[in-house]
Amino acid sequence: MILDAQHPLSSGLTADSRLIQAYQGTRPAVTPVWFMRQAGRSLPEYRELRVGTRMLDVCLDPALASEISLQPVRRHNVDAGIFFSDIVVPLKLVGVDVSIVAGKGPVLGKAVRTRADVDELTALDPALLDTALAPISAAVSLAVSQLGSTPLIGFAGAPFTLAAYLVEGGPSKDHIHARALMHVEPDAWAKLMAWTAEVTGRFLRAQVLAGASAAQLFDSWAGALSLADYAASVAPASAAAIAHVRDLTYTVPGAADGAEPAESVETWRNVPIVHFGVGTGELLKEMHNIGADVVGVDYRVPLDEANRRLGGAVPVQGNVDPALLAAPWPVLEAHVRDVLERGRTAPSHVLNLGHGVPPDTDPDVLTRLVNLVHDVSAAE
Ligand code: CP3
């Protein structure tokens, strides 16, 4: 499907931005930078807005969700906004009893542990999201209308990470119940994954249609899986989730100059898709193969090694260790320069953290880091 003419990729507003260039595999003159979890608790203006509110209520309030998405863009001069929401929002909107407990994360009213539980959950009709996602679309449009030429990244949780919360009933260290269900009840597992893929895929598509210029799938807990289990029992569902945005295209002016008269002067592009996981160094190739354009790398695998594992042809995103945000500036600076240097081995590189911004991070360090990345990469 072609994005409508007002979409910032189609209108050209964001299509030439550093972020979209890098995601499309072209190295821009200056390396783009944004931070996972840049919108949130590290910002005093966020904490102020959040007083007396519940996380999921805020996610469903278009004015608040939009404002919080913009806060880090205004403050840090990052090259992208990420939409403020949460991976469990589409579960809530389809009727799952889920809440977000401060300091803990998503907690389910009831864990999905048996075949009967899966049947009960999957009886909730994903088509309900056609109307239930209206506040999300409204929040994205509002944010995009204020971001101008800065792209907004839409996101969703990958089916495994969502299933991990659903089956465990909340946060878990080893995701043992989810991994057990995969083998004890393979049919129920497949049904759960297919349902989750549809729910999260619709959430992602709604954000892109409303104006997001890129889409990121978070498989935060896929690092708990072996490569064999990932490939057989998880990757197909992640591919199905991504398929919800894979068909979305736009055109950019082509190489009109050297073109023969008969040649089209427009080039077709798909909305870039980023796939990120934590502890997924062994899965990088598979994570690319499900239909991603860009692979997000956590802080454990250096980018030159990640690029080697990916065959040298895939744009990478990452991977400053969030722990170093608390280190003395010269230590952090040396680390960031090293990340930039290793990132130069890949076709293109978007600098990010290897996981989210820790809540106690000094926001001034993030602003200084953005300037460093822009200055160092421009000088190369
Ligand atoms: O700036 C951004 O990155 C956009 C906002 C965003 C949130 N959650 C807001 C949030 C994004 C992209 C997410 C994704 C998300 N949510 C993931 C994948 C990314 C990752 O970090 O691995 C996961 C696993 C979740 C589930 C979840 N929701 C967790 C683990 C938590 C944190 C629990 C805590 O309090 O430490 C949440 C809650 C949450 N989501 C908060 C925010 C800002 C904190 C709630 C608050 O501010 O009160």
Side-chain angles (χ1 to χ4, degrees), residues 34-41 46 50 55 82-88 100-106 155 161 165 218 220-221 276 278 355-356 359:
W34 68 277
F35 305 112
M36 293 185 280
R37 295 292 181 93
Q38 66 187 16
R41 285 172 297 181
Y46 170 79
R50 280 295 318 279
M55 176 67 188
I82 176 145
F83 178 53
F84 183 81
S85 193
D86 195 80
I87 58 170
V88 298
I100 291 183
V101 178
K104 193 168 176 207
F155 76 93
T161 289
Y165 283 113
F218 281 94
S220 300
W221 312 139
F276 168 77
V278 181
H355 199 179

Side-chain angles (χ1 to χ4, degrees), residues 82-299:
I82 176 145
F83 178 53
F84 183 81
S85 193
D86 195 80
I87 58 170
V88 298
V89 164
L91 297 177
K92 173 93 181 164
L93 290 175
V94 82
V96 176
D97 177 8
V98 58
S99 51
I100 291 183
V101 178
K104 193 168 176 207
V107 175
L108 279 290
K110 179 179 179 239
V112 181
R113 292 279 168 88
T114 64
R115 166 178 290 270
D117 293 342
V118 171
D119 288 343
E120 194 186 322
L121 176 78
T122 56
L124 298 170
D125 183 0
L128 291 173
L129 291 169
D130 286 347
T131 48
L133 284 168
I136 299 303
S137 306
V140 169
S141 311
L142 205 54
V144 166
S145 70
Q146 294 168 76
L147 277 166
S149 58
T150 303
L152 182 75
I153 300 168
F155 76 93
F160 177 74
T161 289
L162 286 170
Y165 283 113
L166 289 165
V167 177
E168 301 295 336
S172 157
K173 280 208 166 67
D174 53 9
H175 312 288
I176 188 80
H177 297 104
R179 293 189 295 115
L181 186 68
M182 183 186 293
H183 294 286
V184 176
E185 294 277 9
D187 294 346
W189 175 259
K191 191 175 178 188
L192 171 65
M193 292 297 276
W195 180 86
T196 310
E198 184 169 357
V199 168
T200 206
R202 283 174 181 254
F203 175 58
L204 195 55
R205 186 177 178 90
Q207 293 168 60
V208 176
L209 292 181
S213 292
Q216 177 158 324
L217 195 70
F218 281 94
D219 211 347
S220 300
W221 312 139
L225 297 165
S226 68
L227 177 58
D229 280 351
Y230 181 78
S233 307
V234 170
S238 295
I242 280 187
H244 285 260
V245 288
R246 194 69 234 176
D247 67 310
L248 298 175
T249 56
Y250 63 103
T251 58
V252 291
D257 285 348
E260 299 293 328
E263 281 179 54
S264 163
V265 293
E266 288 186 326
T267 306
W268 286 91
R269 297 265 161 82
N270 67 281
V271 175
I273 298 166
V274 187
H275 196 187
F276 168 77
V278 181
T280 46
E282 302 303 321
L283 311 178
L284 292 177
K285 191 88 186 147
E286 287 290 329
M287 289 179 64
H288 177 240
N289 286 346
I290 65 155
D293 301 296
V294 181
V295 172
V297 183
D298 87 345
Y299 54 88

